[in-house]
Amino acid sequence: MKEQLKTIQKDALEEISNAEDMKELQAIKVAFLGKKGSLTQVLRGMGKLSKEERPVIGELANQVREGITAALEEKTTSLEKLEMEQQLQNEAIDITLPGRPVKVGGPHLLTQIIEEIEDLFIGMGYEVREGPEVETDYFNFEALNLPKGHPARDMQDTFYITNELLMRTHTSPVQARTMQEYQGIKPVKMICPGKVYRRDTDDATHSHQFTQIEGLYVDKNVRMSDLKGTLNTFAKKTFGEDREIRLRPSYFPFTEPSVEMDISCKVCRGEGCSVCKETGWIEILGGGMVHPNVLSMAGYDPDVYTGFAFGMGPDRIAMLKYGVEDIRHFYTNDIRFLKQFHQA
Amino acid sequence: MLVSLNWLKNYVDISGISTEELAEKITKSGIEVDGIEYIAQETKGVVTGYVESCEKHPNADKLSLCQVDVGDEKLQIICGAPNVAKGQKVAVARPGAVLPGNFRIKKVKLRGVESNGMICSLQELGTDDKYIPKGMEDGIYVFPDDVKVGENVEPLLNLDDAVLEFDLTPNRADALSMIGVAYEVAAILDKPIQLPEAEVNTLDEDANDHVKVEVEAPDLTPYYAAFLIKDLEIKPSPLWMSNYLMAAGIRPINNVVDITNYVLLEYGQPLHAFDYDRLHSDKIVVRRARDGEKIVTLDEQERVLTEENLVITNGKESVALAGVMGGFETEVHDGTTAVLLEAALFSPAAVRRTVKQTGLRSESSTRFEKGIDPARVKEAGLRACQLFQKYANGKVYAGAAEFDELDKSEKTVKMNTSQINRRLGTEISAEDIVQILNKLRFHFDRDGDYFTVYAPTRRQDITIFEDMLEEVARIYGYDHLPFTLPDGTPQAGTLTEFQLLKRKVKSYLQGAGLMETITYSLTDEKKIKRLISPEVNEENITPVQLAKPMSEDHKYLRLSLLPELLSIVSYNQARNQNDVAYYELGSIFVSEEETLTHQPEERLRLSGVLSGEWLAHPWQQESKEVDFYVVKGLMEGLFDHLGIQIEFKQVKLDDMHPGRSAALKVHNRTIGFIGQLHPLLQKDMDLKDTYLFDVNLDTVLKIVDRDPEYGQIPKYPSIIRDVAFILDQDVLAGNVKETIEEVGSPLVTQVQVFDVYEGNNIESGKKSIAYSLLYQHPEKTLKDEEVEASFSEIIETVKNKYHAHVRS
Ligand SMILES: [Zn+2]
């Protein structure tokens, strides 16, 4: 019987290993382990064995059964895996076909520039203030050291609504309003972005509506070097660490001393090219130390408080940064224009 | 201001520095040099020549055959200019010469005759048409007789000059004169300065014996001087003077006129020369014009005046608009032999008023408006007299008839070293400051670290400490200021709640596929009335209008962002960009005042327009056109995102599709609307089906509660029940849903429409709507009986209330 069992085991394992599909394997299982299977048949003859032989053969028979069962299971797993692989192979798709599009919108380029600058100054402890686009003559001009009849009012051609009300020509009135709100006692650290308006005929470089961001820092002992350091930080973060800045004296009625800031030309690295009109520098913003008249009109004692202010045009910055050739693109909103700045 | 460097060299040494370098230094010190113009950089090989003979070309009527002596040789040259003549001194481009534009002169044959060069016009040598001296506009340039033959014309015609174009800020009126520029450049380069000396040999006769000056408006005319010059000979100016004027952008006319212009540019002092004989008077009266008084100005225009204008009169009628333009009657002409020269100071405000009123703007008015140096008025007059004597053979009367209430005092500014350093963040020593003041040629008293500076009258812009601070800083060099950051009170920088919410709204919409736009706030008459949100329209609004719009397109302050947004859609669709989904955040300007006395209320609105395909994925047969429910879904998502309950109520609005519009309501208050644009308007604007939304974001963001309430995730299983009702066409799905929610409360926690059907198997006039109900109890597992009871009650109620039956 021992021999018989061993033969069965050997035959079974061989057949299992040769089996090619689940059906065949099922047949093998029945043929060996089924009610009429060969192992079952053999075990039925156990009764004829001696008491001594019975446990020995019994154990052997169990071993054979377990061996076959294990082999069957193993084969089942591997056949299933094979079948799965086959099935997955059939499920293969053309991965080069286009995916289902996800509709993606995006911010306007000017908003991106503005928010980038906002975030930079928020990081330096500034608050973001907003104000009305229709302003009073007082806040737009007088509070900024531009009394009626001041020649520098000609620098900004204004859309008046009445003698006293106008479309703001810059966002500086927000500074005047904030200072007044802080009543000459609280330091002011703020930037104010927004839309502004000038009597200009729209063309490639002029727009009757455009955007501005201005900044104001008023506290005790604010120095002109602080303005320089702050603008330098801004320029490097916005335009790149490799850019240099240069301040030049200038004139604004609301600041004294006044500055204009240039950054080194990205195209020629200061050598001079057509982009920078051969100077190596590109004008970016204006600013200066807050004029004592502006401080005192807002209730700050100019002997105690000093400050700096600066202002820039996101439109111009966007034009420089991306080489946009016509300011009107920002307001025409051609989808083919807007889409290009998704990832910016 | 155009600054000729050859001219500037007369006052300050600028050798040893390149033009570009000089321009950069000036720019960095505060006067922006906008450009450098080289008069004729490219001219080579042009010399003076003498036309020995000039005959008609044998084969061409309009050409002349000239023999020209150029010193070392004689050249036969054919010339086409009408003004060429024997005996002239001319500019000759010899064969091999190069003219601007890289034009190379060669020997040629013209109509069978050899021509060895070219006789040049100033245009051919690179001079702009508008500066060509009178009489030479249409032909060759003719030198004065005293030039030598064979000389290089470059220096003679100032072709080797470079001109700096200054972009002056309004405070730097001092640089509107060559002398002012000389002071500036001398300070920058730390060089000495050489000023002209206005010495005149006068007659013994005194001007005061012939002319009296009366000023009836001393508030507007603090100084007036009249000089008298007789026996003048009108002729062309000397070459150098014409050259300088041309370089400065002024066309030479004749010696007398040129001299007044020359001194205007040199001293920054406007002068006016009257023809003395045509003045017919022995007195000059300066007064305000009478209302309706008339004057014909130099440009031969008759001008009607008002009391706003200041005029110069001969005691009877006005002969000049003070500081702006002379009169035609008394203009200097070819036969003039005597002039009365005016050197005066008129108030900037008076001149500005006349300029504004007449639209006349001149080199003179610009200078008066910005303020001239009171100390230089009379000196400039003397300088002109000196030049009249020298270049017009004039005889100058002694003295001048004067009116003088001029304030020539210097303003004092006190400052000290530590104050300067504290403000600038520098460590400048008192000695450095002394040097800076010396470079600027400012007088000062010093007591250790303390300075009293006397601001020179030429620098009218310097009145307070901060002005001096800028002077010190700019001469010290802004480049030398250190980089520091403020060490003041620290402050946390944050966005306000409102600003954060605005960003949240933007990022939601962008994530949902909308592109942000920025449009104009100023709009036209047609658009101002369109698509105003119903709750705004209920108010008694008067649109706000600009006083003087530049165009009809931008006249009103908008009351809705939608009309401009629609224009953009139309713009894009006209360019085959059909699929657009745009939004904008911007203000509308609301006022109920007929005449505005207060600022209008600025309300922030969120508006959007969608048109074309919303989703396109063709190869899997998916596509979706924008429709009402796309826009509604966007709004539902937005308000869900903001945690605000929103309701949609059917509404009929102008310019909107009457069956596809809804008002947006929060707490029963209208805050905007959505829907389809009226098909007629769509057709009008050439738009595809276009849907839009418009929300008062101010109101919405103010009620946002940014602290969500946490509720535990349900522990017990939920049960879903579905039911489809057959309903009359006009029953609204939302109303049925409300009923289900009411009756099912609190067990039914969610009701969803999952199918809407009409057609086969449904009676006409009816529709089937299927709802899915979610039963959920927070504290227990619901029993079937409980759910069944509720479900039956719901079905019965809906049946009764809507004459519905359940679709089997
Ligand atoms: Zn460059």
mmCIF file of all heavy atoms in Angstrom, chain A residues 265-278 280-282, ligand 1:
data_model
loop_
_atom_site.group_PDB
_atom_site.id
_atom_site.type_symbol
_atom_site.label_atom_id
_atom_site.label_comp_id
_atom_site.label_asym_id
_atom_site.label_seq_id
_atom_site.Cartn_x
_atom_site.Cartn_y
_atom_site.Cartn_z
ATOM 1 N N CYS A 265 18.586 96.060 -16.374
ATOM 2 C CA CYS A 265 17.872 95.448 -17.499
ATOM 3 C C CYS A 265 18.177 93.959 -17.547
ATOM 4 O O CYS A 265 19.323 93.541 -17.471
ATOM 5 C CB CYS A 265 18.303 96.144 -18.791
ATOM 6 S SG CYS A 265 17.576 95.441 -20.262
ATOM 7 N N LYS A 266 17.097 93.188 -17.672
ATOM 8 C CA LYS A 266 17.228 91.730 -17.667
ATOM 9 C C LYS A 266 17.837 91.243 -18.980
ATOM 10 O O LYS A 266 18.567 90.264 -19.020
ATOM 11 C CB LYS A 266 15.820 91.157 -17.495
ATOM 12 C CG LYS A 266 15.720 89.664 -17.430
ATOM 13 C CD LYS A 266 14.250 89.319 -17.149
ATOM 14 C CE LYS A 266 13.854 87.990 -17.724
ATOM 15 N NZ LYS A 266 12.399 87.797 -17.605
ATOM 16 N N VAL A 267 17.519 91.975 -20.044
ATOM 17 C CA VAL A 267 17.937 91.526 -21.369
ATOM 18 C C VAL A 267 19.444 91.694 -21.550
ATOM 19 O O VAL A 267 20.146 90.765 -21.951
ATOM 20 C CB VAL A 267 17.177 92.310 -22.465
ATOM 21 C CG1 VAL A 267 17.627 91.884 -23.848
ATOM 22 C CG2 VAL A 267 15.679 92.105 -22.296
ATOM 23 N N CYS A 268 19.970 92.870 -21.208
ATOM 24 C CA CYS A 268 21.369 93.146 -21.522
ATOM 25 C C CYS A 268 22.254 93.130 -20.280
ATOM 26 O O CYS A 268 23.458 93.319 -20.383
ATOM 27 C CB CYS A 268 21.479 94.494 -22.213
ATOM 28 S SG CYS A 268 20.995 95.855 -21.135
ATOM 29 N N ARG A 269 21.647 92.919 -19.112
ATOM 30 C CA ARG A 269 22.420 92.900 -17.854
ATOM 31 C C ARG A 269 23.210 94.187 -17.676
ATOM 32 O O ARG A 269 24.375 94.162 -17.262
ATOM 33 C CB ARG A 269 23.378 91.713 -17.796
ATOM 34 C CG ARG A 269 22.725 90.386 -18.060
ATOM 35 C CD ARG A 269 22.531 89.601 -16.781
ATOM 36 N NE ARG A 269 21.323 88.804 -16.885
ATOM 37 C CZ ARG A 269 20.539 88.484 -15.868
ATOM 38 N NH1 ARG A 269 20.817 88.910 -14.663
ATOM 39 N NH2 ARG A 269 19.473 87.746 -16.030
ATOM 40 N N GLY A 270 22.620 95.303 -18.040
ATOM 41 C CA GLY A 270 23.277 96.585 -17.788
ATOM 42 C C GLY A 270 24.155 97.096 -18.910
ATOM 43 O O GLY A 270 24.673 98.196 -18.849
ATOM 44 N N GLU A 271 24.305 96.281 -19.970
ATOM 45 C CA GLU A 271 25.178 96.707 -21.063
ATOM 46 C C GLU A 271 24.521 97.785 -21.932
ATOM 47 O O GLU A 271 25.209 98.568 -22.570
ATOM 48 C CB GLU A 271 25.520 95.513 -21.958
ATOM 49 C CG GLU A 271 26.391 94.451 -21.284
ATOM 50 C CD GLU A 271 27.787 94.980 -21.022
ATOM 51 O OE1 GLU A 271 28.388 95.536 -21.957
ATOM 52 O OE2 GLU A 271 28.262 94.844 -19.882
ATOM 53 N N GLY A 272 23.192 97.783 -21.938
ATOM 54 C CA GLY A 272 22.471 98.701 -22.819
ATOM 55 C C GLY A 272 21.908 97.958 -24.017
ATOM 56 O O GLY A 272 22.643 97.247 -24.715
ATOM 57 N N CYS A 273 20.622 98.074 -24.220
ATOM 58 C CA CYS A 273 19.988 97.427 -25.374
ATOM 59 C C CYS A 273 18.721 98.209 -25.703
ATOM 60 O O CYS A 273 18.427 99.221 -25.076
ATOM 61 C CB CYS A 273 19.658 95.963 -25.069
ATOM 62 S SG CYS A 273 18.353 95.748 -23.846
ATOM 63 N N SER A 274 17.990 97.741 -26.682
ATOM 64 C CA SER A 274 16.824 98.509 -27.119
ATOM 65 C C SER A 274 15.721 98.506 -26.051
ATOM 66 O O SER A 274 14.967 99.464 -25.928
ATOM 67 C CB SER A 274 16.286 97.952 -28.430
ATOM 68 O OG SER A 274 15.865 96.621 -28.252
ATOM 69 N N VAL A 275 15.636 97.423 -25.270
ATOM 70 C CA VAL A 275 14.602 97.335 -24.239
ATOM 71 C C VAL A 275 14.766 98.464 -23.207
ATOM 72 O O VAL A 275 13.808 99.077 -22.772
ATOM 73 C CB VAL A 275 14.641 95.949 -23.543
ATOM 74 C CG1 VAL A 275 13.678 95.906 -22.357
ATOM 75 C CG2 VAL A 275 14.308 94.853 -24.533
ATOM 76 N N CYS A 276 16.010 98.740 -22.832
ATOM 77 C CA CYS A 276 16.254 99.734 -21.785
ATOM 78 C C CYS A 276 16.707 101.064 -22.379
ATOM 79 O O CYS A 276 17.284 101.886 -21.686
ATOM 80 C CB CYS A 276 17.295 99.211 -20.810
ATOM 81 S SG CYS A 276 18.839 98.720 -21.597
ATOM 82 N N LYS A 277 16.426 101.279 -23.652
ATOM 83 C CA LYS A 277 16.841 102.504 -24.346
ATOM 84 C C LYS A 277 18.342 102.758 -24.142
ATOM 85 O O LYS A 277 18.763 103.892 -23.876
ATOM 86 C CB LYS A 277 16.013 103.714 -23.860
ATOM 87 C CG LYS A 277 14.555 103.646 -24.315
ATOM 88 C CD LYS A 277 13.897 105.031 -24.321
ATOM 89 C CE LYS A 277 13.421 105.424 -22.942
ATOM 90 N NZ LYS A 277 12.824 106.759 -22.861
ATOM 91 N N GLU A 278 19.117 101.687 -24.205
ATOM 92 C CA GLU A 278 20.588 101.768 -24.150
ATOM 93 C C GLU A 278 21.149 102.243 -22.812
ATOM 94 O O GLU A 278 22.324 102.567 -22.707
ATOM 95 C CB GLU A 278 21.145 102.671 -25.273
ATOM 96 C CG GLU A 278 20.680 102.311 -26.674
ATOM 97 C CD GLU A 278 21.100 100.921 -27.114
ATOM 98 O OE1 GLU A 278 22.134 100.418 -26.640
ATOM 99 O OE2 GLU A 278 20.361 100.308 -27.911
ATOM 100 N N GLY A 280 20.765 100.480 -19.814
ATOM 101 C CA GLY A 280 21.043 99.382 -18.892
ATOM 102 C C GLY A 280 20.075 99.329 -17.720
ATOM 103 O O GLY A 280 20.142 98.425 -16.890
ATOM 104 N N TRP A 281 19.173 100.307 -17.645
ATOM 105 C CA TRP A 281 18.259 100.393 -16.508
ATOM 106 C C TRP A 281 16.820 100.547 -16.982
ATOM 107 O O TRP A 281 16.580 101.153 -18.030
ATOM 108 C CB TRP A 281 18.610 101.594 -15.618
ATOM 109 C CG TRP A 281 19.964 101.483 -14.997
ATOM 110 C CD1 TRP A 281 21.125 102.020 -15.467
ATOM 111 C CD2 TRP A 281 20.306 100.765 -13.808
ATOM 112 N NE1 TRP A 281 22.163 101.698 -14.636
ATOM 113 C CE2 TRP A 281 21.691 100.925 -13.604
ATOM 114 C CE3 TRP A 281 19.575 100.003 -12.881
ATOM 115 C CZ2 TRP A 281 22.372 100.359 -12.518
ATOM 116 C CZ3 TRP A 281 20.244 99.439 -11.798
ATOM 117 C CH2 TRP A 281 21.629 99.616 -11.631
ATOM 118 N N ILE A 282 15.909 100.038 -16.189
ATOM 119 C CA ILE A 282 14.488 100.180 -16.517
ATOM 120 C C ILE A 282 13.754 100.778 -15.330
ATOM 121 O O ILE A 282 13.889 100.303 -14.199
ATOM 122 C CB ILE A 282 13.895 98.814 -16.907
ATOM 123 C CG1 ILE A 282 14.479 98.386 -18.251
ATOM 124 C CG2 ILE A 282 12.378 98.882 -16.980
ATOM 125 C CD1 ILE A 282 14.082 97.017 -18.667
HETATM 126 ZN ZN ZN C 1 18.922 96.461 -21.771
#
